Each structure stands twice: as C-alpha cells, then as structure tokens.
Amino acid sequence: MTKKRVAVLISGRGSNMTALIAAAKAPGYPAAIALVVANVPDAAGLARAQHDGIATAVVDHRNFGADREAFERALDAQLAAHRIDLVCLAGFMRLLTPWFVRRWSGRLINIHPALLPQFKGLHTHRRALEAGVARHGATVHFVVPEMDSGPIILQDSVPVLAGDTEATLAARVLSVEHRIYPQALRLVAEGRATLPAVAARSE
Ligand code: GRF
C-alpha cells in the first residue's frame, strides 16, 4: 500500500492535527502526515508536530499583505516540495481563494465544528446554544470555493445538555472532531469518498 502524503494546515493549538498524527501511526492507515504548515509562526501545534518528528513550515500570511494568491502560491510551493497528495485544514483560519481551492479540488478537506449546513462560519457553539438546538456536532467536508459548503464526507452529533456553556459544548464536540477527522481522511485516502461521488450523492 502506498500511503497518501498528507499536509495538515493549522493556525493554533492543533488538537485535530494531533488526532490525525496519532491515527496515521497505525500500520494499516492509508495516509502519512508528511507536513504541518501554519500561517502564524507561534501556532502551538507546530511544536507538537516537531515533537512527533514531522516536517513543519510557516507561511506567514502577514508577509504577503493583501495579496492572497501570493500567500497561497507560497503555501502551494511548500506542498509541492513535500510531494503532498491531500491537504487537511484543521483550525486553519484563512479563507482560501478559488484559485487554491480549484487547484486542490477533491484533495482538500476541512473540519467544521457544527452540523453543516447549520452554523457556517465562526462562534458555532455560542450560536448553537443561542438557537436552542437539541443536538450539535462536527462535520468533515470537501472544500469548495464557498465557505463551509462543500459536500459532506462524515458528520456526527452530540446532545446539547441543560447547563451547557460554550466551553462544555465545545469540549463535547471536540471529542467528535478527533474521532471523525481520522475516519474521514481514511475514506478520502482510500478513494472511498471522492468529490464527484459525494457531490452526486448530495444532489
Ligand atoms: C476546531 O474546533 C475546528 O473544528 C475548528 O477550529 C478548531 C481548531 O482546533 N475549525 P484545533 O486547532 O484542531 O485544536
């Protein structure tokens, strides 16, 4: 089995990245985490990845001003240099342009802390509490140019409990994220979830 070479893109603590790294250590797992890229130099996840012996890179978006494609070309160059097959966004807090999204179409996935199509965007836990939903959760999806809108690969839910705060709900959802992201990456790496196939299913 040739393992797919995966890059994980982060902006912060990297707990989903850590879950992917842990899953990829299993001998039969179809993907290897070959690179972790952060767009902020002090992203805490970088140290964690280095501790696990994984190559890391920083592409600091602030060096590119308003030129988003220049930032993405630098990112793309890192991915090419490390012969990356698949890209996982994991708490990566930059919106990607259609240029980058199309370039990686079908090979670019994201985790979102809500049951899409509910609660796209930020502050999902606060908004779920405000809306009074009975269940909340997480979604792994293919990335398309429109934010948080690509075809869903996997999602799972947890109950919202009386007395939940943003923090308690976030923690419950995070444990779902850590479970479904490795499962979803496995499906994509094995070719069992593909963008056209998933898109056809959701039509
Ligand atoms: C996660 O909740 C993820 O779904 C969201 O940002 C958070 C990142 O957390 N996009 P971590 O950096 O993976 O710990």
Side-chain angles (χ1 to χ4, degrees):
M1 176 185 66
T2 314
K3 292 184 185 241
K4 297 287 184 194
R5 292 176 60 79
V6 172
V8 185
L9 273 47
I10 64 168
S11 300
R13 71 187 160 179
S15 73
N16 278 290
M17 171 209 78
T18 301
L20 293 171
I21 291 171
K25 283 182 181 161
Y29 197 79
I33 311 303
L35 177 66
V36 169
V37 186
N39 67 306
V40 283
D42 60 354
L46 287 170
R48 175 78 234 179
Q50 284 157 6
H51 180 263
D52 277 315
I54 292 168
T56 62
V58 174
V59 183
D60 188 341
H61 64 275
R62 292 169 302 190
N63 294 339
F64 301 90
D67 191 346
R68 298 167 80 88
E69 278 200 20
F71 163 69
E72 292 176 355
R73 279 194 297 276
L75 191 57
D76 193 65
Q78 286 292 338
L79 302 176
H82 289 266
R83 293 174 288 110
I84 295 303
D85 301 307
L86 298 172
V87 177
C88 293
L89 306 181
F92 185 68
M93 302 304 286
R94 302 298 294 170
L95 286 178
L96 295 164
T97 69
W99 175 78
F100 186 90
V101 171
R102 294 211 175 94
R103 192 171 173 80
W104 286 90
S105 181
R107 301 179 294 149
L108 176 61
I109 67 179
N110 180 46
I111 187 145
H112 183 71
L115 293 171
L116 290 173
Q118 279 188 312
F119 308 123
K120 296 176 181 180
L122 298 174
H123 310 301
T124 57
H125 308 307
R126 187 193 312 164
R127 288 158 59 209
L129 289 171
E130 283 166 2
V133 293
R135 297 193 74 83
H136 185 42
T139 305
V140 183
H141 63 95
F142 283 108
V143 177
V144 297
E146 197 187 337
M147 185 189 69
D148 296 334
S149 294
I152 290 168
I153 302 163
L154 273 184
Q155 64 182 181
D156 204 359
S157 68
V158 289
V160 180
L161 303 179
D164 259 340
T165 62
E166 243 181 287
T168 59
L169 185 55
R172 196 172 309 118
V173 169
L174 195 61
S175 69
V176 171
E177 296 185 40
H178 295 166
R179 179 163 44 79
I180 68 171
Y181 212 172
Q183 291 172 349
L185 175 59
R186 171 187 283 278
L187 291 176
V188 175
E190 290 178 344
R192 290 195 282 151
T194 60
L195 184 51
V198 172
R201 239 189 284 148
S202 60
E203 267 168 17

